[in-house]
Amino acid sequence: MDHIQHNFITVRGLKFHVADLGEGSNVVLFLHGFPEIWYSWRYQMVALANAGFRTLAPDYRGYGLSDIPPEPEKTTFADLVADLVAILDHLGINKVFVVAKDFGVRPAYLLTLLHPHRVSCVVTLGVPHVPLEPRKYRESLPEGFYISRWNEPGRAEADFGRFNAKTVVRNIYILFSRSEIPIADEKQEVMDMVDASVPLPPWFTEEDLATYGALYEKSGFKTALQVPYRSFDEDFGITDPIVKVPALLIMGCKDYVLKFPGMEEYIKFGKAKELVPDLDIIYLPEGTHFVQEQSPELVNELILDFLRSHM
C-alpha cells in the first residue's frame, strides 16, 4: 500500500486521480463501483503488482480525488468511457486487462464494445454484462427500492445530507453487505434502514471507513448519484452488443444483486453468455457484494489465474 503512487492526470478539462502500482507492459485497469473508490482495489493492486502486472485504479470524474465536473448532474456513462480512453492515451497504454466491480461493469463493457482493440479480457465482480436497454427493475420492486429512491433528484441528497460522508458510506456498506435488496419502508429513507449500533462487516475496518469517508467528504455524492443511478437509460448507439473478448464473472452467492428480478436465472441458465459467449462464471459460496475486500486472497488468485491464461 505504501508503494502505490498517486498520480494526477489532466485530460478532457479535468484532473483525474489515478492510483498506480507495478511495472511492465501487462496493464490492469481497475474500475470501482459505489460507494467505492480506487481504495477498494487496494488488495488486488498489491497482489497483481507483485505478480508482474502494472495496475491502475482511477477515481472517476466527481469521485474521490478526481475533479468534480462543472455540472455533475450532466455526467454520463459516455463521459466515464471517454475519460478512461483519454487517461490511457495520456499514459501511452494501448491495451489493458479490465477488472470491474458493481456499476463499474458498465463502463468496462462499454470500453470493450466501443474500443475492442484496447481490451484483452474483462473480469467483473458482482454484476454481469446485461443488455444496454433501459432497466426495468423499478417496475417490479416496491417504491422503497434504493435505486428508485436514488434515481429521484433531490431525495438522496436530502437523505444523505443529514449525515457526514463517513456515516453515509458506513450505512451503504452495511446495507450492501447483506443478502437482501435494500428496500426502505414507505415512510422511511434508505439511510434510516441502518441503526447506529449495527457493526461494520468484520472485513471492513474503522481505518477503511475513515479512508472512504475522507474521500467522499472531498467529492460529495452529487456525481455518484448521477452516474450510475440517474444514467441507466443512456443510449450508446451500439448496434452489436456481443462482447468478443474472454470474460470472467466472480459472483458471491450471498450478493444481494442475485435477488434482482430475473438476475439469478440470467446468470445461471445461460442468458449472460448470449452477450458474452466466452464467459466463465465462478461462484463464491460465502461471497457478498464486496468479495474483493471480503476475501481478497481468494479473489486475487482467481483474477491472476484468469489473466495469466489470456496473456
Side-chain angles (χ1 to χ4, degrees):
M1 282 281 292
D2 292 341
H3 299 295
I4 294 176
Q5 297 180 23
H6 296 276
N7 300 324
F8 290 88
I9 297 168
T10 300
V11 293
R12 304 190 72 230
L14 296 173
K15 183 171 65 178
F16 290 86
H17 168 250
V18 182
D20 190 336
L21 183 65
E23 299 178 346
S25 58
N26 293 311
V27 181
V28 182
L29 178 66
F30 288 101
L31 303 180
H32 65 79
F34 177 80
E36 295 152 302
I37 218 76
W38 77 266
Y39 182 79
S40 65
W41 298 113
R42 58 199 180 280
Y43 300 120
Q44 287 68 47
M45 292 184 72
V46 172
L48 269 64
N50 288 340
F53 291 86
R54 182 181 180 186
T55 62
L56 304 173
D59 291 336
Y60 306 125
R61 59 171 56 206
Y63 279 79
L65 299 175
S66 291
D67 280 352
I68 300 170
E71 297 179 286
E73 68 280 3
K74 294 184 178 180
T75 302
T76 64
F77 275 105
D79 284 325
L80 268 56
V81 175
D83 294 342
L84 294 172
V85 171
I87 289 169
L88 294 178
D89 287 346
H90 181 90
L91 295 172
I93 296 170
N94 294 320
K95 201 164 190 176
V96 292
F97 303 96
V98 180
V99 180
K101 159 79 169 47
D102 187 69
F103 90 82
V105 170
R106 176 154 284 204
Y109 275 115
L110 285 171
L111 180 65
T112 306
L113 290 167
L114 296 170
H115 305 275
H117 61 290
R118 307 297 294 262
V119 179
S120 297
C121 64
V122 180
V123 179
T124 69
L125 283 66
V127 177
H129 180 40
V130 297
L132 296 172
E133 60 201 34
R135 308 274 179 108
K136 297 182 179 180
Y137 299 133
R138 298 194 294 272
E139 298 175 5
S140 53
L141 288 168
E143 174 274 337
F145 176 42
Y146 77 98
I147 290 180
S148 296
R149 291 287 184 85
W150 294 351
N151 179 257
E152 182 183 337
R155 184 154 191 175
E157 288 87 340
D159 186 14
F160 292 5
R162 297 176 296 149
F163 307 94
N164 60 33
K166 181 178 175 180
T167 301
V168 173
V169 172
R170 172 191 175 276
N171 290 354
I172 297 173
Y173 251 83
I174 290 171
L175 282 174
F176 284 9
S177 296
R178 297 171 177 170
S179 59
E180 298 298 325
I181 299 173
I183 298 175
D185 293 335
E186 185 177 351
K187 295 183 179 180
Q188 179 188 46
E189 296 301 329
V190 173
M191 288 293 100
D192 297 325
M193 295 177 67
V194 180
D195 189 88
S197 64
V198 177
L200 290 168
W203 39 264
F204 193 70
T205 69
E206 288 290 343
E207 182 182 356
D208 294 333
L209 178 59
T211 299
Y212 278 100
L215 290 168
Y216 275 101
E217 197 68 50
K218 185 262 178 195
S219 67
F221 295 96
K222 195 164 188 178
T223 310
L225 288 167
Q226 175 63 27
V227 177
Y229 298 103
R230 296 167 189 168
S231 302
F232 281 130
D233 294 345
E234 194 174 330
D235 182 5
F236 304 100
I238 293 174
T239 56
D240 181 5
I242 306 301
V243 174
K244 307 300 194 300
V245 302
L248 170 67
L249 169 62
I250 300 173
M251 198 77 213
C253 292
K254 296 184 178 181
D255 190 329
Y256 75 89
V257 171
L258 283 175
K259 300 289 179 64
F260 279 35
M263 182 62 77
E264 189 166 12
E265 295 79 7
Y266 178 81
I267 296 171
K268 289 189 174 180
F269 298 120
K271 293 290 289 183
K273 293 192 177 185
E274 292 180 5
L275 289 179
V276 191
D278 193 1
L279 175 67
D280 294 333
I281 303 173
I282 296 175
Y283 295 96
L284 304 185
E286 298 300 315
T288 66
H289 191 59
F290 300 100
V291 288
Q292 87 280 18
E293 294 180 279
Q294 177 191 10
S295 304
E297 292 183 1
L298 174 57
V299 170
N300 294 347
E301 182 180 345
L302 294 174
I303 294 173
L304 276 170
D305 286 348
F306 185 77
L307 297 189
R308 284 169 173 157
S309 69
H310 294 93
M311 290 175 64

